[in-house]
Amino acid sequence: MRTDGAIITNAGLELISYAIANNKNITFTKTKLGKGDVNTFDEAKKLTDVVSFYKQIPITSISRNNSGIIRIRSTFTNEDFPIEVVLKEVGIFAIVEGKSETLFAYVNDGAGESFPPGTSGNIVERVRDIYVGVSTAIEVNAIIDRSTVYATIFDLEEGLNRKEDKFTKNTGFNKNKSDSTSLDDSDTLATSKAVKLAMEKATEASTAAAGKEPKFDKNTAFNKEFGVAQNQVLEGSKLAEILGIEYGGVLNNANAKVAGKGYYDTANKKIYKCTANTSINYADAAYFEEISNNDLLGKLQNLMQSAIESKASDKLAVTIYREGNICFVIGFVSISSLYTPPYTSAIQIENSNLFPRTLVDCPCGNTDAIVMGLNTSGLLSVTVGKKIGELTESKFRFAFSYKPKQ
């Protein structure tokens, strides 16, 4: 009887069930050729071996298509056949771990094919492809002895059909892909979805950054309220209110200085009022006048304080005192008749706050008999030009304007 294709035997079905239940693989082990006949399909399904064994041949390849159909390929020649023989049967054997090897699938083509003996010189090569359906839940493989099996023309053609023309591969060829935007792997390519997500995140970050400013170190007065209480900062206009004139900025630069505005000298830590427009960067008295509180206080104190010093020599006595910027000098000179005029005597004033800024030179006493002089270094000199009686004596007094040294 012709089976018209492969029949999975009852033993083969049991192997499939056992493999599924126990998560096992099916391994195809060998192919047998036979000369026997079967009368019914039921008889064929009950077989555990071929009916009339003739020759065992190796499995050369096994493959599975997308539908789960498995192709088991075996090849043989009649080169070692001693006599002419008609072959009808093909049996595929398999094994599962834990079970014995058995006939898995069976084919019988009825009439069979006659093969001459190998000694006839007519060498015939045949390929037997057996197709069986096995659930894709089961892994299948085959035992192939590559030392005795050679690829057929059919194998080569099928292999070539699964190939593509050789071409130059760029660096991104056959890489894995990923939708992740946080993966740090140079061997994985970003998908368009990953690029889209990254762009969306970049847009979000850009939108958020639009409302930000560069980060910087904040000093203690940062973001304080204006006011005069603790933890508040003084408003700029308050400085003008304190000075009484508009504040113009720092003096020590080449910027234009405007008359009537106040400028701070960083060199001597003082405020100056500009008296004439200029661009100089130092406190020249021709353009600037001190208005710092400390300087004003000093001027006020100079007007109020008094300084007194008394000095005497053998012929000259003097007392100097000051009220504000005015110095008063009272003294007398006494020279006996033993001295011949002109006679000069001098006293060094010790208190530098009593030195005049310019030389004081004036006549005192009787006519031009006495000439008084006080220089800027505090040296008081008196010259007696002529005698008055036996004893030359004269009182003198004078005053001068004093400005304290800077």
Side-chain angles (χ1 to χ4, degrees):
M1 184 195 77
R2 181 184 179 90
T3 59
D4 292 324
I7 297 173
I8 297 179
T9 65
N10 292 338
L13 293 174
E14 289 179 7
L15 281 183
I16 293 173
S17 298
Y18 181 82
I20 292 175
N22 296 277
N23 194 26
K24 301 290 186 178
N25 297 342
I26 295 177
T27 301
F28 295 99
T29 58
K30 61 191 175 187
T31 301
K32 285 185 178 182
L33 302 178
K35 303 177 292 180
D37 292 301
V38 292
N39 298 314
T40 64
F41 285 103
D42 188 58
E43 179 184 348
K45 293 186 69 173
K46 293 178 181 180
L47 293 174
T48 58
D49 202 345
V50 293
V51 176
S52 178
F53 172 74
Y54 179 74
K55 182 179 178 63
Q56 178 177 310
I57 61 176
I59 297 173
T60 59
S61 66
I62 183 172
S63 63
R64 172 183 263 166
N65 63 21
N66 294 334
S67 301
I69 302 300
I70 298 172
R71 188 207 68 196
I72 305 163
R73 173 170 290 173
S74 303
T75 61
F76 68 94
T77 70
N78 65 335
E79 188 174 2
D80 58 349
F81 288 7
I83 60 174
E84 183 178 358
V85 64
V86 177
L87 298 178
K88 301 178 181 180
E89 300 174 279
V90 178
I92 303 297
F93 287 77
I95 191 171
V96 173
E97 182 182 357
K99 288 287 187 178
S100 300
E101 182 184 57
T102 189
L103 181 64
F104 183 87
Y106 178 78
V107 176
N108 196 305
D109 62 3
E113 182 181 4
S114 178
F115 292 89
T119 57
S120 67
N122 183 14
I123 303 302
V124 179
E125 181 180 10
R126 288 290 182 264
V127 175
R128 291 290 184 256
D129 286 340
I130 307 301
Y131 294 88
V132 293
V134 178
S135 171
T136 55
I138 303 175
E139 291 291 331
V140 297
N141 51 56
I143 296 176
I144 300 174
D145 185 355
R146 299 192 182 278
S147 66
T148 61
V149 173
Y150 299 92
T152 66
I153 296 297
F154 297 102
D155 293 323
L156 292 175
E157 289 178 347
E158 287 183 355
L160 289 173
N161 289 334
R162 290 194 298 268
K163 300 292 183 179
E164 62 183 9
D165 293 337
K166 183 180 179 180
F167 61 93
T168 301
K169 278 74 172 176
N170 293 322
T171 54
F173 177 75
N174 200 28
K175 299 286 188 181
N176 290 327
K177 63 181 181 179
S178 173
D179 293 336
S180 174
T181 59
S182 60
L183 187 64
D184 184 12
D185 184 2
S186 58
D187 289 328
T188 301
L189 303 180
T191 62
S192 58
K193 181 178 180 180
V195 175
K196 180 176 180 292
L197 291 174
M199 288 298 298
E200 289 174 352
K201 290 183 179 180
T203 301
E204 291 175 3
S206 177
T207 301
K212 305 292 183 179
E213 62 182 13
K215 182 180 179 181
F216 60 94
D217 293 333
K218 277 74 172 177
N219 293 322
T220 55
F222 177 75
N223 202 27
K224 298 284 188 180
E225 294 287 344
F226 286 131
V228 294
Q230 187 176 5
N231 290 325
Q232 293 180 328
V233 294
L234 190 66
E235 193 172 359
S237 61
K238 298 298 181 182
L239 184 59
E241 296 176 11
I242 293 172
L243 294 176
I245 59 175
E246 182 181 351
Y247 179 67
V250 176
L251 186 150
N252 312 96
N253 55 51
N255 298 340
K257 316 303 188 296
V258 180
K261 291 186 178 182
Y263 296 89
Y264 179 69
D265 188 341
T266 58
N268 56 29
K269 307 295 187 292
K270 294 182 179 181
I271 295 289
Y272 289 85
K273 177 183 178 181
C274 182
T275 56
N277 292 344
T278 183
S279 61
I280 62 175
N281 61 359
Y282 60 95
D284 190 320
Y287 297 95
F288 295 98
E289 179 183 11
E290 294 179 6
I291 60 170
S292 293
N293 289 338
N294 188 57
D295 295 310
L296 296 177
L297 177 62
K299 292 179 179 179
L300 178 62
Q301 290 173 336
N302 284 336
L303 292 174
M304 299 175 61
Q305 64 185 210
S306 296
I308 299 175
E309 183 171 342
S310 296
K311 297 285 289 186
S313 65
D314 58 341
K315 302 300 180 185
L316 180 63
V318 64
T319 298
I320 303 176
Y321 67 94
R322 177 166 63 86
E323 292 293 340
N325 284 346
I326 304 299
C327 282
F328 299 92
V329 182
I330 299 175
F332 71 91
V333 61
S334 176
I335 302 176
S336 69
S337 59
L338 298 176
Y339 293 94
T340 302
Y343 175 76
T344 300
S345 184
I347 293 177
Q348 176 64 49
I349 305 301
E350 302 295 339
N351 190 338
S352 62
N353 283 332
L354 302 177
F355 294 175
R357 288 186 62 117
T358 59
L359 177 66
V360 177
D361 191 0
C362 60
C364 300
N366 299 320
T367 317
D368 293 329
I370 300 174
V371 177
M372 174 73 190
L374 180 60
N375 68 16
T376 57
S377 297
L379 183 65
L380 176 67
S381 62
V382 177
T383 300
V384 178
K386 61 182 179 180
K387 289 184 179 181
I388 303 175
E390 291 297 321
L391 181 65
T392 300
E393 179 177 329
S394 178
K395 296 181 179 179
F396 58 87
R397 74 175 74 184
F398 66 92
F400 63 87
S401 176
Y402 165 78
K403 187 171 185 181
K405 290 188 177 183
Q406 302 302 311

